[in-house]
Amino acid sequence: MEAKVLVVEHEPETLGFIQGHLAARGFEAIPARSSEQVMAAIERERLKIVFVDIDSPDLDGLDLIREIKRLDGTVQVIALTASSSLVNAVRAFKVGACDYILNPSRNPERIDHAVWLCLEKFKWWSDIFQEVSREKEKAAGSPDRAD
């Protein structure tokens, strides 16, 4: 089973490059153009990674990252940008991005590294959430003692 990855990118050439690059590595790359499509995909699909273009004129990428992390804390977000602004990178990390890629169509090695890093973080967070759920179930199932 291939991992599903969502790609939010306003430049068709960059979107096509990322989709092709990920498909060649065994991922199903699902495109999204709006916040509504992203939210629907997060609720419908079992996503591990979402690429978000933070320079998109159609949506606020930083708000989108924040909302993705609110909906599912295990989903890892990779911020994409054509701007080399350090301020944008810091802002993306502050709202929950796992990694940040400058000019992804010129950086296929960075895409590979970011995906690997995010998959490791996804596994780590998934393990933590499962452990917390087990502890909650265990606590809910044990009767309180009033001795």
Side-chain angles (χ1 to χ4, degrees), residues 83-91 100:
S83 164
S84 61
S85 167
L86 183 58
V87 172
N88 282 345
V90 170
R91 286 179 180 152
Y100 181 88

Side-chain angles (χ1 to χ4, degrees), residues 3 5-6 8 12 17 28 32 51 62 65 68 71 73 83 85-86 93 101 106 113 115 129 132 141 144:
V5 176
L6 191 66
V8 184
F17 175 81
E28 179 184 351
F51 286 81
L62 297 175
I65 293 170
I68 290 167
L71 286 175
S83 164
S85 167
L86 183 58
F93 285 121
I101 301 175
R106 290 187 227 140
H113 180 264
V115 167
F129 284 132
V132 168
D144 292 334

Side-chain angles (χ1 to χ4, degrees), residues 139-147:
S142 62
D144 292 334
R145 292 190 174 163
D147 295 22

Side-chain angles (χ1 to χ4, degrees), residues 47-48 74-76 118-126:
L47 299 171
K48 295 182 179 180
T74 64
V75 173
Q76 299 304 303
C118 289
L119 286 174
E120 288 298 310
K121 284 188 176 183
F122 176 87
K123 182 182 179 330
W124 184 77
W125 277 112
S126 294

